[in-house]
Amino acid sequence: MEQRKFGSSDLYASAIGFGTWEMSARQYGHIDAGEATRAVQSAIDQGITLFDTSETYGPYHSERLLGRALGARRKDVVLVTKVGFTFMDDPDHPGQAKIQDRDSSARNIIEHAEGCLRRLGTDVIDLLLIHFHDHKTPHEETIAGLQQLQAAGKIRYYGVSNYTAPMLAACQEHGQLTTNQVGYHLFDRRVETAVLPYCRAQGIGFMAYGALAFGLLSGAFSPETRFVDWDWRSRGDAFGLPLFQREPFLRELSAVERLKALAAEHGKSVAQLAIAWLLGRPGVTVALVGMRNERELKENIAAAEWRLCADDCAAIERILADEGIPSYRDVELVT
């Protein structure tokens, strides 16, 4: 597996990262904990060195599951998690928590980082991210809190998630970010306008989540697909874009069928095509992919060495244009 450098830092990790939002159990369809654990172990065997999670996934469920799954192999990986929220008791699920509000104050992120360390069963987090800025806390305070954790040896590097270029610039006045993690895939190219160019210019790594467009580019959906009401995709919205609303959904499925045929010409799947396209985009450090079992893992890893040629990339662009798939480059990120 190719190892890529995060911007101007000395942090390296696998080009494909193991995303664990799908392991949240309450937000993303059914998850078999045993299968997920075997996928984590197998991923390390096959060269994946970056595992990404968050205290919000569940909340807490993905961190706990990942910590148990890594076990003694924690030392072999780059462990990424995210903070920046407060939580409350969930009246619909006694004994469980739900997100209350954003809070990227120094006090809150320091306190919550301790919880992440406990749940992940580790002494240090390799890369801690602010999940979303709360728009109330000055960036200077947030960066100061992250630097305090770094000085205490609780984290090795710090960064942000879902930050715009102006927000990144405000942070850079007070410290050097290691990465920005934002959604990026064939059906959402908003970051190409300003975020990716800024990261490249400032030596900030870029982690792309949603590599398979939250399942749309997996080839597993059909016009008859329906999501259970507690699956976030049932709302139709995907981080400010109408990807799961009926008309866009049908256009995307039509595009996927043609992308499948293009991938098949190379003996590949549409998921592998989507991952290979993303890994070939300038400035992308890591493509995060959710992998809930070994079958998904093997398929995704096989995309790591595929390099799309110029003709393939041009064919992809034609398919998207023919099917009326917008790039959304002129749409603001949801922050």
Side-chain angles (χ1 to χ4, degrees), residues 321-333:
D322 289 349
E323 298 297 333
I325 306 297
S327 69
Y328 297 111
R329 290 190 189 95
D330 59 343
V331 176
E332 292 290 328
L333 289 172

Side-chain angles (χ1 to χ4, degrees), residues 23-25 31-34 36-38 40-41 44 53 60-74 79 116-122:
M23 289 162 54
S24 65
I31 177 71
D32 183 294
T37 297
R38 288 189 290 274
V40 167
Q41 294 286 327
I44 300 172
T53 187
Y60 311 138
H61 187 272
S62 288
E63 285 187 327
R64 293 186 180 115
L65 179 54
L66 179 59
R68 290 194 297 268
L70 288 173
R73 306 189 75 179
R74 159 68 186 97
L79 192 53
C116 296
L117 288 165
R118 289 194 301 272
R119 287 185 293 272
L120 289 165
T122 187

Side-chain angles (χ1 to χ4, degrees), residues 22 24-31 228 230-233 292:
E22 288 87 342
S24 65
R26 293 173 56 198
Q27 297 161 312
Y28 224 120
H30 174 70
I31 177 71
V228 294
W230 50 266
D231 187 312
W232 68 272
R233 294 169 293 188
R292 295 183 290 184

Side-chain angles (χ1 to χ4, degrees), residues 26 88-99:
R26 293 173 56 198
M88 60 185 292
D89 293 336
D90 187 345
D92 297 323
H93 300 88
Q96 299 187 46
K98 63 184 296 186
I99 293 172

Side-chain angles (χ1 to χ4, degrees), residues 33-110:
E35 284 192 347
T37 297
R38 288 189 290 274
V40 167
Q41 294 286 327
S42 181
I44 300 172
D45 291 338
Q46 298 184 57
I48 287 184
T49 61
L50 186 141
F51 290 78
D52 176 85
T53 187
S54 169
E55 62 174 355
T56 65
Y57 298 165
Y60 311 138
H61 187 272
S62 288
E63 285 187 327
R64 293 186 180 115
L65 179 54
L66 179 59
R68 290 194 297 268
L70 288 173
R73 306 189 75 179
R74 159 68 186 97
K75 65 183 185 302
D76 302 323
V77 306
V78 172
L79 192 53
V80 185
T81 193
K82 298 179 280 293
V83 294
F85 283 88
T86 58
F87 301 89
M88 60 185 292
D89 293 336
D90 187 345
D92 297 323
H93 300 88
Q96 299 187 46
K98 63 184 296 186
I99 293 172
Q100 183 177 40
D101 198 9
R102 296 185 189 183
D103 186 347
S104 54
S105 66
R107 175 199 54 77
N108 190 64
I109 62 178
I110 290 170

Side-chain angles (χ1 to χ4, degrees), residues 270-281 303-308:
V270 67
Q272 291 167 332
L273 178 76
I275 295 169
W277 176 86
L278 187 56
L279 290 176
R281 305 305 292 176
E305 303 305 320
W306 187 15
R307 300 292 183 267
L308 298 179

